[in-house]
Amino acid sequence: MTITGTTKNLGVIGCPIAHSLSPVIQNAAISKSGLDYVYIAMPVEKEALAEAVNGLKSLGFTGFNVTIPHKEAIIPLLDKIDESAQMIGAVNTVVNNQGVLTGYNTDVDGFVGALKDVGYEIAGKSVAVLGAGGAARAVLCGLIREGAKEISVGVRNPAKAMAVVNDFSKYFPIEVFEWHDDAFKNKTKNANLIVNTTPLGMYPNVDAMPPVDFDFVSDDAFFYDIIYTPMPTMLMKEAEKRGHRTLGGAAMLVKQGAIAFKLWTGVAPDETIMMKRLIDSLSK
């Protein structure tokens, strides 16, 4: 990749940001596409967000990704946001079109698209979601949009989770349970799809997993863990051991990145090379 005076700029802002693998997958896509772009990681402290956004706009960045802790705080700084971002209350991708900043949330289509790529359709399915943090918002949005029949959320603290669930109650009725509760176990027993949105099992705590009682899981339940490091997680290993189909978070990460890439460049990237570079980086 040769950077010249005509090279267009893309990037990701967040704090911390050094761990981000977005530069790996996005620059792989840029290189394979033969486009004159470069993608960099940029650390931005909370109190510097407004300055940073104005700076990126002034510098003519084509677009950028947004990660923790700025996904919600950036919204008032943008000119427009799309429907998914409005529903979730968070932005992870910004497009700069001649000074007009539009915010998107590609996590929703990333979550749904990764499932569709393996032939799984959400429509008409009963779903059990583990966790109700920030990551759950995109998952809930995707499940509602794609026509899930029933959505149940299992959490450690139901009272704390109600804030998230109430945000979506105007779109779809969602039940919340303490995840050890027998009532939630009955929901997992009837669930076609079980989605982990918690960080339980994420590196470095690779031996952890959310409290799924496999005695209360139907034989044909599909497990989707949105964690991508490690691959597979302990939850996925346990599910696979019992014959369940599984999908890991790497697929969602690549898919949402590919959607962002197309929003910026107008070109659909090679997702295979993005996945290969991601796996190579995770194995180091």
Side-chain angles (χ1 to χ4, degrees):
M1 181 187 300
T2 302
I3 300 174
T4 70
T6 61
T7 300
K8 295 178 181 178
N9 295 307
L10 299 167
V12 56
I13 61 171
C15 187
I17 201 64
H19 68 286
S20 176
L21 292 174
S22 291
V24 172
I25 63 173
Q26 294 294 358
N27 284 313
I30 289 167
S31 180
K32 184 66 184 290
S33 300
L35 298 173
D36 189 17
Y37 285 82
V38 66
Y39 185 105
I40 60 173
M42 297 170 284
V44 175
E45 300 280 351
K46 278 185 179 181
E47 57 274 13
L49 179 60
E51 262 185 299
V53 171
N54 285 331
L56 293 171
K57 182 177 177 178
S58 297
L59 289 167
F61 267 64
T62 300
F64 52 94
N65 285 130
V66 184
T67 188
I68 294 169
H70 305 313
K71 288 187 174 185
E72 295 85 19
I74 197 171
I75 290 176
L77 304 175
L78 304 176
D79 300 299
K80 298 187 288 186
I81 62 172
D82 81 331
E83 187 179 355
S84 292
Q86 285 180 346
M87 187 173 178
I88 297 167
V91 162
N92 77 336
T93 300
V94 176
V95 175
N96 179 11
N97 183 9
Q98 297 182 331
V100 177
L101 301 183
T102 303
Y104 299 86
N105 195 303
T106 65
D107 285 334
V108 180
D109 288 329
F111 168 73
V112 172
L115 272 176
K116 288 185 175 181
D117 281 352
V118 295
Y120 195 93
E121 295 291 336
I122 293 168
K125 303 293 197 305
S126 294
V127 187
V129 177
L130 301 162
R137 288 180 172 273
V139 169
L140 292 173
C141 181
L143 294 173
I144 293 167
R145 193 188 70 188
E146 294 297 310
K149 181 176 72 174
E150 181 182 39
I151 303 173
S152 306
V153 175
V155 292
R156 183 183 287 111
N157 186 338
K160 196 174 177 181
M162 288 310 298
V164 172
V165 171
N166 286 340
D167 285 346
F168 290 91
S169 62
K170 57 188 171 187
Y171 305 108
F172 192 88
I174 299 172
E175 293 186 280
V176 182
F177 304 89
E178 199 280 328
W179 51 26
H180 293 289
D181 195 314
D182 286 345
F184 185 64
K185 290 181 180 181
N186 287 329
K187 292 296 182 181
T188 62
K189 193 169 186 178
N190 295 320
N192 309 111
L193 174 64
I194 298 174
V195 185
N196 177 41
T197 71
T198 78
L200 291 170
M202 184 185 294
Y203 181 85
N205 302 310
V206 296
D207 292 328
M209 61 177 277
V212 174
D213 188 339
F214 282 93
D215 291 333
F216 286 84
V217 173
S218 66
D219 292 340
D220 65 347
F222 188 109
F223 279 79
Y224 190 171
D225 194 335
I226 69 170
I227 293 172
Y228 61 84
T229 176
M231 297 188 304
T233 60
M234 182 61 70
L235 176 63
M236 291 173 67
K237 287 178 183 176
E238 290 298 319
E240 289 166 3
K241 195 187 299 181
R242 291 165 171 79
H244 295 281
R245 290 179 66 199
T246 65
L247 182 64
M252 178 177 169
L253 179 66
V254 167
K255 180 64 71 176
Q256 66 82 24
I259 295 164
F261 186 94
K262 189 171 182 181
L263 285 170
W264 295 320
T265 69
V267 174
D270 185 333
E271 294 180 32
T272 302
I273 193 68
M274 295 171 80
M275 180 63 81
K276 181 180 185 307
R277 293 291 170 80
L278 174 60
I279 292 172
D280 288 347
S281 293
L282 291 172
S283 64
K284 289 179 181 177

